[in-house]
Amino acid sequence: MAIDPTRFCINRKIAPGLSIEQFFQLVNKLGLHKVELRNDMRGGSVTDNLSHAEVKALAQRYDLEIVTINAVYPFNQADDALMAKAEGLLKDAQGVGAKALVLCPLNDGAPVSEQQTLEALQKLGPLFAQYGIEGLVEPLGFPVSSLRSAQKAQALIRDANVPFRLVLDTFHHFLYEKAEEEFASGVDINAIGLVHLSGVEDGRPTSELTDEERIMLTEGDVLKTAAQVQRLEQLGYRGIYAFEPFSSVMDSWKAADIEREIRRSIEILQD
């Protein structure tokens, strides 16, 4: 399986100890050209202490495309506070030149009806259009998540009549017990806008896995992320793959560690 390296993207979550410029330098050194920024880093904002113009200039200097900002949460609780948060992130996306903004559902065990999620999508759609930013809906597979199913997310996007697409995450696909069954019958590959990749070696029951167990890809990956990617390729997916580990082990990683882990993960996918 050979994937064009231009399709690989690095999520900033892998580099909690690096500044934005250091992160951009590392990605450029790897010969990659796509990054995802976040609003949950130590600096407390998407841009840390930099202006939009400064981040955009750094991306241009290091020949990088800012694919997305992660994330509007919880998008399916679209009250005034959420809409204000969404607009703030849309301004960030527009300002730094990001193409899209990820939307994550409520993930605390509180129920959210399909109708509420549908109405939230309909409410957010015009706001995203106003800023010229694409919405990417990411189902979360945790048992407490209010939107676990990729199939259901795609159906809600269609029914809401908004031009959003899906984020398929290999970790969350693994967590959701009906994912394989639904994937075979109801997930439109052409409506996937981004695929998030990580790996897990922890052997605890699936229902007990958390973001803390998410590392980069390894030969012992219980998510079988490489196999998930191979299937996506066979089905015709030609979009972006973004590496998105979460474990706190990365707090101690230096640039060399990050570089090594990215290279190893890409090698596993290219075997």
Side-chain angles (χ1 to χ4, degrees), residues 73-243:
Y73 173 86
F75 85 85
N76 53 353
Q77 298 279 281
D79 55 15
D80 290 346
L82 185 280
M83 295 300 289
K85 179 192 294 185
E87 186 159 21
L89 286 169
L90 286 165
K91 288 177 180 177
D92 284 332
Q94 189 180 67
V96 303
K99 303 294 190 297
L101 189 55
V102 175
L103 299 150
C104 291
L106 187 66
N107 186 47
D108 67 359
V112 179
S113 70
E114 290 182 15
Q115 184 63 29
Q116 284 177 279
T117 300
L118 177 71
E119 290 172 359
L121 290 169
Q122 291 172 329
K123 193 172 180 181
L124 287 161
L127 188 61
F128 274 67
Q130 177 185 329
Y131 284 89
I133 303 297
E134 182 178 20
L136 296 174
V137 178
E138 181 171 12
L140 302 180
F142 297 118
V144 294
S145 170
S146 60
L147 180 61
R148 305 181 69 200
S149 165
Q151 180 189 54
K152 178 57 64 179
Q154 284 192 334
L156 288 166
I157 290 168
R158 183 187 64 243
D159 292 347
N161 195 28
V162 291
F164 293 174
R165 289 190 291 170
L166 183 75
V167 178
L168 187 69
D169 185 298
T170 59
F171 173 72
H172 290 294
H173 178 89
F174 179 79
L175 293 191
Y176 177 47
E177 57 277 354
K178 296 182 181 177
E180 281 295 302
E181 173 190 343
E182 292 182 0
F183 187 91
S185 62
V187 174
D188 179 4
I189 294 296
N190 296 315
I192 297 174
L194 181 67
V195 176
H196 277 158
L197 308 178
S198 57
V200 171
E201 288 187 323
D202 195 292
R204 74 186 70 189
T206 302
S207 62
E208 296 178 15
L209 293 175
T210 70
D211 280 331
E212 178 59 29
E213 284 72 63
R214 296 176 66 177
I215 54 175
M216 291 293 278
L217 276 60
T218 67
E219 298 295 347
D221 175 26
V222 301
L223 309 181
K224 295 183 169 44
T225 285
Q228 290 193 50
V229 168
Q230 185 173 32
R231 177 172 60 184
L232 287 166
E233 289 293 296
Q234 290 170 345
L235 291 171
Y237 178 70
R238 294 298 179 266
I240 297 169
Y241 292 106
F243 293 102

